[in-house]
Amino acid sequence: MNKHLLSAGDLSRNDALLVLDTAAQLAQVADRPVKKLPTLRGRTVVNLFFEDSTRTRISFEAAAKRLSADVINFSAKGSSVSKGESLKDTALTLEAMGADAVVVRHGSSGAPHRLANSGWIGGSVINAGDGTHEHPTQALLDAFTLREKLAGGEGDLAGKKVTIVGDVLHSRVARSNVLLLSTLGADVTLVAPPTLLPVGVETWPCKVSYDLDPVVPDSDAVMMLRVQLERMTDSYFPTAREYSRRYGLDNHRMSMLREESIVMHPGPMNRGMEITADVADSRRSVIVEQVANGVSVRMAVLYLLLGGYSPAQAEAEQTVEGS
Amino acid sequence: MSRLVISGASILNRAPADIVVAGDRIVEVGKPGSADTSGARVIDADGLIALPGFVDLHTHLREPGREDAETVETGTRAAALGGFTCVHAMANTEPVADTAGVVEQVWRLGKEAGWCEVRPVGAVTVGLSGTHMAELGAMAASAAQVRLFSDDGKCVDDAVIMRRALEYVKAFDGAIAQHAQEPRLTEGAQMNEGVLSGTLGLRGWPAVAEEAIIARDVLLTQHVNSRLHVCHVSTAGSVELIRWAKSKGINVTAEVTPHHLLLTDELARSYDPHFKVNPPLRTTEDVLALREGLADGTIDAVATDHAPHPSEDKECEWSAAAFGMLGLETALSVVIESMVNTGLLDWAGVADRMSVRPAAIGRVKDQGGLLEPGQPAHVTLVDESVSWTVRPEELASRSRNTPYRERVLPGRVVHTIFNGKPTVIDGRTERVH
Ligand SMILES: [Zn+2]
C-alpha cells in the first residue's frame, strides 16, 4: 500500500484485496460486545471537511474510534476557503497538531493530492471525496458489498457485471468505481446520456451505453448515481421526466433484472429522479448495507495506512485487556 | 558620443564579427579585431551569438493596480535579463489601459525604468467589458503611439464589436490582438479538455472554443479587409485555420508562447497550479503542430504571455488558483530546447520570430532591425553552450510562478544592449541611468 489513498487507481489488485480482506476481519468487531480494538491508540486522525458530508464524516469517525484513535473533526466549511492560503494554512495547523492521518473532503478536484504532495504535512492523506474527481473509500465499500452479495465474500469480482447509471461526468463515485472494480476483474458498463459522459470515456477500462434497457437484464448489479436537478438547468438533459424515463430505475426496469441481482446507490438519493422509492426500499436494494460496510472498509484503510499491527495481534491484545 | 565595441560575436550564428556602436546606432560591422577600440567600452562576445534585441508582443506588467505581483520596473528588468529590448504591456491592469491617460502612464513608467522599450497595448472595449469600444483613436494618437489593441484575458466575443473594432483600427494602421476563447464553452474551465481532464475531474477547456473564434475572426478580417493578430495560439486546429487564412491572403498574424511549445497537459496530473495557464497546456500533438507552425512561419512570433501572480494565488488547490506563468527570463531557453535543438529553427529563424516579425506586427519603428550599420543598437548576445537550473527565487520578476522550477534549460542571455547601452552584462543587470 502507498502512504496515501488519493485515487482508487493507486490500489493494485493485491492492495484492494488486502483492504477488503482486512475489512471483512474488522467487520466481525462490530458484532462483539466491545466494538473497539486498541490498534491505533495514541494516533490522531483528523477529519478535514471543506464540504458538508455528515454521512461520510460519521463513517470515518466511527471507523477511527473503533480502532481507538483520537479523532479531531475539523470543519472548514463556512470559513473563507474559496481562495488562497487556507488549504495550506489548515495543513500547517494540522501538522502542528501532529495528525497521523488526514481524511479530507474538498469541493476542488485534486485538493487531497495537493495536501499529500505539497510537503505541508507529514501524515497520510485519505481522499474522502474531491470535487468531480474521486471517492476511493466509497468504491472500496461498494466493492466490499458486491463481494459479499455476489462472490461469497471472498476473492475478487472476476466476470461480475456491474452497471453504473447516471451523471458520470460529475461523479467522483463513478470514477473511483470504474478504476477499482475493473482492477478487481469486474465487467463495468457506464450508462448515461452522452452529455453526462466525460470526453475520453472511451479510454476508460469499461463499456459505455447510451441506453439502459439493453444492459439491465444482463447486470449482476445496477448502481444508480445521484443526478442533481441543476444539470437540467444547464441543458445536460431536457426535463426530469425525460431523464427518469430514459435513465431512471423503476419497478418495470427492476423486473428485468435476474433473480439474484442487486441495486446500489451511494446516496444521498433523489427518490423519483434516478430511482423510485419502491426500488430503493425493495429487497434487492443493498443501500443500507453499503452504509454499514463503509465503516469496516474505512477501518481497514486507516489500519493499513497507519501501519497498525495485524488484526489477529490486535485481537489478542484486546483479549488480554478484557481478561 | 559613447562608443561600444562588441567584439567577436557571431551575428545570427554566422562568422564572428566586431559590431561598433556609436550612441544608439550600429555604425560598423567588420572582421574580428578590425574595430577601433580606443575610447570605447569593449564587450568580449567571443563565442556568443548576436541577435537583434527580442520584442515581446504579450507581457503582463501588472502596473497599475497589481504592484504586489509585478511592476513596470521589475517586469522590464526581467525582460532585459531575458534578452528583450521591447515589451508590449497588456491592457488588463487596474485601472484598465483603455484611455490615453493610462497608456501614457505605462509608457512613461517604461521610459523611466529604462530597461527596455515599453509599448502599451490598449483595451478594445471600455473596462474589458466587451460591450463599448474604448477610445482607440486617442490611444493611437497619444505619446504611447498604441497600435495593438486587445482585451486579453477576455475574448472580444461579440461579433459586432469585433467587426467594428477591426474596421475602426484601419484608420491608424492598428490591429486587434484577440484572446480567442469562446466564453460559454469555457465557463469554469480548468485545463485542456481531453482524456486527462475526464480522469482528473477538472472541467475541460476544449480546443474548439479557441478555434471557433479564430475561424470567425479571420473571416471577419477578410470581410472588412483589416488586420488581426491571434494571441497565444495553443491547438493544432488553430494552426491549420491560420495556415488556411494566410493562404487566402487574409491579413492575420499569430503568436505562440514558449510554454505551449514545450509543456503538455500531462503536467496537470500533479494538480500543481504552477501548470495552470490560459489557454491551457495542450497535448503532445498540439505542441508538435505549434512547433511546425512556428517553423514554417504560419505562426509569426514567440510571445511570452508573462503573467506574474503572487505565491498565495498558486500555493492552493488547482481550481482556486490563478491562471498564468512567468515567461520573460526563460523564453529564449525554451525556444532553444523546443525549436533550435530539435533542428526546426536556425538562429536567423530565432531572430525573425523573436524580434523582426513581432516588431513588425506591433509597428515598433526602432526595433527588430537586423544587426547592420545604421540600425538601432538593440543587441542580445547568447551563449548556446551553457545550461542552467531555473530557481524561482533567483528570477528578477517580483513573482515566483515559473513552471520550470528546478528544470535544467539550455542557453543563456549573457549581454543585452538596449539603445546602445548595456542593460545586462554577464547575466546581471546594469544600472542604465
Ligand atoms: Zn490571453
Side-chain angles (χ1 to χ4, degrees):
Chain A
M1 293 270 293
N2 293 330
K3 179 181 174 187
H4 310 290
L5 179 57
L6 305 176
S7 160
D10 296 344
L11 298 167
S12 67
R13 181 176 175 280
N14 283 343
D15 289 339
L17 288 176
L18 178 62
V19 175
L20 299 185
D21 293 344
T22 306
Q25 282 181 278
L26 291 169
Q28 292 163 11
V29 176
D31 302 331
R32 308 215 165 156
V34 183
K35 288 187 167 54
K36 272 189 142 179
L37 289 175
T39 319
L40 297 184
R41 184 171 293 154
R43 315 295 290 274
T44 301
V45 175
V46 176
N47 283 322
L48 176 59
F49 277 56
F50 289 85
E51 200 180 67
D52 257 346
S53 176
T54 310
R55 55 172 60 213
T56 304
R57 184 180 56 72
I58 287 175
S59 182
F60 269 106
E61 188 172 349
K65 284 185 170 163
R66 283 186 195 172
L67 295 171
S68 304
D70 296 325
V71 179
I72 299 171
N73 287 316
F74 198 113
S75 170
K77 208 197 164 236
S79 61
S80 58
V81 293
S82 61
K83 182 137 164 83
E85 291 271 27
S86 60
L87 184 66
K88 182 181 180 182
D89 288 340
T90 309
L92 295 176
T93 306
L94 299 181
E95 181 64 3
M97 283 160 37
D100 296 292
V102 178
V103 175
V104 58
R105 161 74 67 118
H106 202 292
S108 178
S109 299
H113 194 283
R114 195 92 177 100
L115 271 183
N117 293 290
S118 57
W120 299 330
I121 53 174
S124 291
V125 175
I126 299 167
N127 182 359
D130 62 328
T132 55
H133 178 224
E134 285 212 40
H135 194 356
T137 60
Q138 175 71 40
L140 283 164
L141 77 86
D142 289 336
F144 187 89
T145 308
L146 285 161
R147 193 169 84 151
E148 293 288 305
K149 291 291 173 185
L150 304 175
E154 52 183 40
D156 62 13
L157 297 170
K160 299 300 174 201
K161 293 187 166 56
V162 182
T163 302
I164 302 175
V165 188
D167 185 359
V168 176
L169 181 62
H170 300 96
S171 174
R172 47 197 175 205
V173 176
R175 277 175 184 73
S176 287
N177 263 309
V178 168
L179 291 170
L180 183 71
L181 300 181
S182 66
T183 298
L184 288 170
D187 194 351
V188 181
T189 303
L190 296 174
V191 180
T195 46
L196 290 176
L197 289 166
V199 167
V201 72
E202 67 281 357
T203 66
W204 293 14
C206 61
K207 297 194 199 85
V208 175
S209 169
Y210 302 142
D211 288 314
L212 181 52
D213 285 332
V215 182
V216 170
D218 199 28
S219 300
D220 295 306
V222 179
M223 183 187 301
M224 305 305 295
L225 301 173
R226 176 179 169 81
V227 176
Q228 291 173 326
L229 270 172
E230 69 208 56
R231 306 291 174 221
M232 188 178 81
T233 328
D234 292 340
S235 283
Y236 285 101
F237 52 86
T239 61
R241 262 178 67 101
E242 172 151 327
Y243 183 88
S244 302
R245 207 181 307 126
R246 292 180 61 86
Y247 299 102
L249 192 59
D250 57 10
N251 270 325
H252 170 68
R253 283 209 170 98
M254 189 170 65
S255 71
M256 290 155 52
L257 279 169
R258 283 199 301 265
E259 183 54 30
E260 65 284 3
S261 298
I262 59 172
V263 173
M264 309 174 79
H265 195 299
M269 282 180 280
N270 252 333
R271 289 173 186 247
M273 181 75 176
E274 71 270 4
I275 191 166
T276 63
D278 287 354
V279 174
D281 302 331
S282 75
R283 62 171 182 83
R284 289 179 184 280
S285 163
V286 296
I287 295 165
V288 176
E289 282 147 284
Q290 284 176 273
V291 175
N293 293 338
V295 178
S296 309
V297 159
R298 285 165 182 136
M299 285 173 78
V301 168
L302 286 170
Y303 174 85
L304 293 168
L305 288 187
L306 293 185
Y309 33 105
S310 79
Q313 264 180 296
E315 231 172 303
E317 190 172 322
Q318 185 194 34
T319 313
V320 173
E321 282 189 3
S323 61
Chain B
M1 207 178 340
S2 68
R3 275 168 52 88
L4 186 72
V5 174
I6 303 165
S7 76
S10 305
I11 297 175
L12 308 183
N13 204 27
R14 299 191 192 113
D18 284 355
I19 304 168
V20 183
V21 174
D24 61 1
R25 295 274 148 180
I26 294 170
V27 291
E28 203 184 307
V29 175
K31 287 204 183 81
S34 67
D36 172 13
T37 56
S38 58
R41 177 169 183 183
V42 179
I43 294 174
D44 177 11
D46 194 32
L48 303 183
I49 297 167
L51 303 170
F54 303 151
V55 176
D56 192 13
L57 284 168
H58 198 139
T59 318
H60 295 276
L61 293 177
R62 301 291 188 228
E63 189 176 3
R66 287 306 301 270
E67 290 82 356
D68 58 324
E70 196 78 284
T71 62
V72 173
E73 161 70 27
T74 60
T76 54
R77 189 167 161 247
L81 286 162
F84 291 88
T85 53
C86 176
V87 298
H88 286 75
M90 273 300 168
N92 63 338
T93 48
E94 298 164 26
V96 171
D98 58 1
T99 63
V102 180
V103 294
E104 282 190 350
Q105 182 198 351
V106 172
W107 176 76
R108 200 170 300 114
L109 286 168
K111 265 204 154 346
E112 284 163 18
W115 295 113
C116 67
E117 182 170 358
V118 173
R119 297 271 299 174
V121 174
V124 178
T125 65
V126 175
L128 311 176
S129 63
T131 53
H132 296 284
M133 203 194 294
E135 288 189 351
L136 309 187
M139 291 188 270
S142 75
Q145 295 279 300
V146 177
R147 290 295 177 273
L148 284 181
F149 299 90
S150 181
D151 277 0
D152 183 62
K154 287 184 173 174
C155 181
V156 181
D157 66 308
D158 184 309
V160 172
I161 299 282
M162 187 62 183
R163 177 206 167 134
R164 299 273 187 262
L166 281 166
E167 287 177 304
Y168 196 78
V169 296
K170 287 163 66 174
F172 33 83
D173 194 27
I176 303 298
Q178 177 71 292
H179 169 116
Q181 175 180 9
E182 208 294 314
R184 284 280 285 150
L185 283 171
T186 51
E187 273 172 24
Q190 297 292 325
M191 68 171 293
N192 179 50
E193 183 163 280
V195 173
L196 199 56
S197 62
T199 306
L200 296 179
L202 291 171
R203 189 166 309 176
W205 198 129
V208 62
E210 176 172 304
E211 293 155 6
I213 294 292
I214 294 175
R216 181 201 73 177
D217 285 354
V218 296
L219 294 173
L220 277 175
T221 302
Q222 180 181 45
H223 182 59
V224 302
N225 191 27
S226 183
R227 188 159 75 93
L228 171 71
H229 177 70
V230 185
C231 296
H232 42 55
V233 168
S234 72
T235 78
S238 298
V239 177
E240 258 186 78
L241 284 164
I242 292 161
R243 192 174 283 133
W244 173 84
K246 286 190 165 185
S247 78
K248 295 287 171 197
I250 298 169
N251 196 353
V252 57
T253 55
E255 70 189 33
V256 61
T257 71
H259 47 271
H260 286 110
L261 290 171
L262 188 64
L263 309 178
T264 69
D265 61 350
E266 279 295 320
L267 290 161
R269 273 189 201 282
S270 66
Y271 288 103
D272 179 347
H274 286 93
F275 303 112
K276 180 176 173 178
V277 65
N278 195 22
L281 300 176
R282 304 285 187 185
T283 66
T284 301
E285 187 190 315
D286 294 303
V287 167
L288 295 178
L290 292 166
R291 290 180 182 182
E292 195 190 310
L294 184 65
D296 72 16
T298 300
I299 298 174
D300 300 84
V302 173
T304 65
D305 197 4
H306 177 81
H309 290 288
S311 54
E312 60 268 26
D313 288 343
K314 288 292 187 182
E315 284 195 323
C316 56
E317 56 274 29
W318 182 282
S319 62
F323 289 97
M325 38 183 71
L326 301 183
L328 288 168
E329 292 170 78
T330 47
L332 175 71
S333 292
V334 174
V335 169
I336 293 174
E337 176 151 341
S338 59
M339 300 299 296
V340 179
N341 290 352
T342 53
L344 289 165
L345 210 57
D346 60 13
W347 287 96
V350 173
D352 185 65
R353 309 300 196 273
M354 293 188 75
S355 179
V356 179
R357 286 218 226 178
I361 291 165
R363 301 292 194 252
V364 194
K365 271 202 297 293
D366 278 344
Q367 297 273 351
L370 293 174
L371 302 179
E372 292 161 358
Q375 291 288 343
H378 306 304
V379 189
T380 296
L381 293 148
V382 175
D383 186 348
E384 67 163 333
S385 69
V386 297
S387 59
W388 59 297
T389 305
V390 180
R391 303 226 157 76
E393 62 281 2
E394 291 173 5
L395 298 175
S397 171
R398 182 161 282 185
S399 293
R400 299 283 167 264
N401 55 307
T402 172
Y404 308 110
R405 173 188 291 272
E406 291 305 315
R407 198 168 171 135
V408 177
L409 293 176
R412 275 223 95 157
V413 171
V414 182
H415 315 297
T416 308
I417 317 296
F418 167 54
N419 264 337
K421 296 192 188 74
T423 51
V424 174
I425 290 290
D426 292 328
R428 289 171 194 282
T429 47
E430 285 223 333
R431 246 303 140 210
V432 283
H433 49 82

